[in-house]
Amino acid sequence: MKRPFLLALACALLLTGCTGPAQPTHTPTSDPTAESTTFAMDTVMTFRLYGGTEEDLTAVTSRILSLEQDLSVTLEDSQVYALNHSGGEPVTAGEDFLALLALAKELGNRTGGALDVTMYPVVKAWGFTTSEYHIPDEDTLSALLANVDYTSVTVEGDQVTLPAKMELDLGAIAKGYAGEMAANLLRERGVTSAILNLGGNVQTVGSKADGSPWRIGVQDPQQTTGGYLGVLEIRDQAMVTSGGYERYFEEDGVRYWHIMDPHTGAPARSGLVSVTIVGDKGGLCDGLSTSLFVLGREKALDYWRTYGGFEAILIDDQNNIWVTGGLKNNFTLVADSPYTLNIVEE
Ligand code: AMP
Ligand code: MG
C-alpha cells in the first residue's frame, strides 16, 4: 500500500471513529429557540426546541418526512405500499421498516396477537381509513380475518414477504417510533431540551431549562373534566396514548372506535377507554398503548409485571384510573376529579 493512501485511511478512521455529539451541546433556554408545526403521518406535529437552532428543526422535520415517505400505507412509492402490492414477492425494506417489523413481531408474540400489523383490511372495512364509517357484516369480517396474521410476514435479511391477499399497516407504532428517532437525532445534534408533539404522542428530550420535568396533560377520555384529567411529569421519555375517543363513530347509541381486536375484527371491548404508556422508547410505547388497550386491564398489568421497561396509566369505563407504581410520584389528578385513582404495585 502506498503511503498517501495509508494516511488517508488513517484520517478516515479517525473521523468515523469520533462518536461524540456532532455539534457542541446547546445550552437549554426557558423560551423556545426554534419551533414549527408540520402536517405529517396524517397528523399535526409540533416541535419545540429550547436551545436548538432552525437547522436542528429542519433535520428533525426531514427525518420525519422521510420516515413517512418510507412507511406510509397510502403513498404509492413507499416501501409499505410496495409490499402491499407485491403479489407475494419479496420487497426490499430499509432499516426503519425492518426495525418496525421486528418490534411489531415481538409485541405481536408477547400480546398473543393483540397487536397485528396485518389488520389493515379490517380497519378499512369499518371505514376508519376514509371516514366513511359502517359496521361490516359477520361474513365480510370473517372473510377478512382469514387473511389477518402477522406471523405470515417473513423477513430474510432486508427482504420482506407478505402473502398476496394480505395488507400491512404500521399506523399503530410508526408515530411513536418517529418521535423516538427525532429525539435521538436531536440528542446527537447536542440539543438537550425539547418537546415534540406528534398528534398527541409526546416525546421529550431532556428536561426544562431549569432542570424540572416536562408537565404533560393526560386527556380525559370522557371529557368530564373538560380536557385533561391529570398531569404527568416526565424527563427525556415518550408518553403515548391510545384512546377510544380519538377516532370513532356512533350508531344506535354505540361507540365504535379505531382500536381493533384482531381476534374479533371489531373495536376492542376490554373495558379500557384509554391507555397511556411512558417509557424510553417511543416505538415500543406506541405499540404497547394499542395492544394493552386491546388486552384490557388485567392482562395489561400482567404484561407490565412480566416484561416491565415502561409505566402505564389505564383508564376504564367505570371512571377508574390505574397507575403503575413507577409513576406514583409523577402523576397528579386534577382537583375534584370524578375519577378514582388506583396505584398498582408490582
Ligand atoms: P394507535 O392510535 O397507536 O392506538 O393506533 C391505532 C391504529 O392502528 C388504528 O387507526 C389502525 O389503523 C391500527 N390498528 C387498530 N387496531 C390494531 C391492532 N390491534 N393491531 C395493529 N394495528 C391496529
Ligand atoms: Mg399505538
Side-chain angles (χ1 to χ4, degrees):
M1 256 190 257
K2 297 240 169 68
R3 229 176 234 155
F5 178 78
L6 278 178
L7 202 66
L9 187 69
C11 289
L13 285 175
L14 266 180
L15 284 175
T16 50
C18 172
T19 52
Q23 293 179 5
T25 301
H26 296 288
T27 308
T29 55
S30 48
D31 291 318
T33 46
E35 56 183 305
S36 69
T37 301
T38 307
F39 188 82
M41 298 183 151
D42 235 2
T43 195
V44 178
M45 301 187 176
T46 321
F47 306 143
R48 254 184 216 115
L49 315 186
Y50 296 77
T53 64
E54 290 297 330
E55 257 178 49
D56 297 317
L57 206 51
T58 307
V60 164
T61 308
S62 45
R63 179 78 169 101
I64 301 272
L65 292 176
S66 92
L67 278 173
E68 176 177 38
Q69 181 53 58
D70 292 345
L71 307 174
S72 164
V73 71
T74 48
L75 291 178
E76 295 190 4
D77 42 4
S78 82
Q79 294 164 17
V80 170
Y81 192 94
L83 184 67
N84 287 346
H85 295 82
S86 62
E89 293 299 315
V91 162
T92 306
E95 240 175 71
D96 296 306
F97 193 3
L98 291 171
L100 282 167
L101 286 173
L103 174 64
K105 187 166 193 131
E106 181 180 64
L107 286 180
N109 292 345
R110 287 180 169 189
T111 60
L115 187 81
D116 192 317
V117 284
T118 63
M119 274 292 277
Y120 192 59
V122 177
V123 175
K124 272 202 290 196
W126 285 84
F128 284 108
T129 52
T130 53
S131 304
E132 285 163 24
Y133 302 118
H134 94 120
I135 304 170
D137 60 53
E138 287 293 324
D139 291 348
T140 308
L141 278 183
S142 48
L144 290 173
L145 279 176
N147 285 308
V148 169
D149 177 12
Y150 71 97
T151 63
S152 306
V153 184
T154 56
V155 180
E156 272 183 57
D158 64 356
Q159 298 298 300
V160 183
T161 313
L162 180 75
K165 283 190 181 151
M166 295 174 65
E167 284 181 284
L168 176 143
D169 168 39
L170 300 170
I173 49 180
K175 268 186 278 167
Y177 178 80
E180 179 182 333
M181 292 303 112
N184 287 347
L185 182 61
L186 287 173
R187 292 182 191 115
E188 278 165 28
R189 296 178 66 94
V191 176
T192 58
S193 181
I195 185 154
L196 314 173
N197 189 330
L198 298 88
N201 287 6
V202 179
Q203 171 71 56
T204 63
V205 173
S207 56
K208 289 194 198 172
D210 62 5
S212 63
W214 302 102
R215 291 170 53 79
I216 300 162
V218 178
Q219 199 103 24
D220 178 358
Q222 283 147 56
Q223 303 298 319
T224 42
T225 49
Y228 296 126
L229 59 73
V231 175
L232 187 65
E233 297 189 327
I234 56 169
R235 283 185 178 88
D236 219 29
Q237 284 190 310
M239 176 191 126
V240 180
T241 298
S242 286
Y245 58 89
E246 289 172 325
R247 204 161 353 132
Y248 64 88
F249 66 97
E250 277 173 359
E251 208 170 291
D252 299 329
V254 181
R255 190 174 280 200
Y256 299 91
W257 47 64
H258 67 301
I259 302 164
M260 304 263 163
D261 185 339
H263 299 294
T264 63
R269 303 277 179 217
S270 66
L272 294 179
V273 292
S274 172
V275 172
T276 295
I277 306 290
V278 177
D280 294 337
K281 294 195 167 283
L284 176 70
C285 291
D286 200 353
L288 285 173
S289 71
T290 310
S291 46
L292 299 192
F293 185 109
V294 174
L295 286 183
R297 174 172 56 98
E298 286 183 12
K299 286 186 183 160
L301 293 174
D302 285 347
Y303 186 104
W304 172 69
R305 290 189 182 99
T306 306
Y307 298 105
F310 68 95
E311 301 294 336
I313 301 174
L314 314 176
I315 304 170
D316 71 14
D317 54 10
Q318 306 295 311
N319 282 8
N320 287 302
I321 304 180
W322 310 84
V323 173
T324 55
L327 290 180
K328 70 177 168 211
N329 298 321
N330 311 66
F331 179 74
T332 319
L333 271 187
V334 296
D336 303 324
S337 174
Y339 288 92
T340 308
L341 182 60
N342 307 272
I343 305 291
V344 186
E345 300 293 354
E346 295 260 356

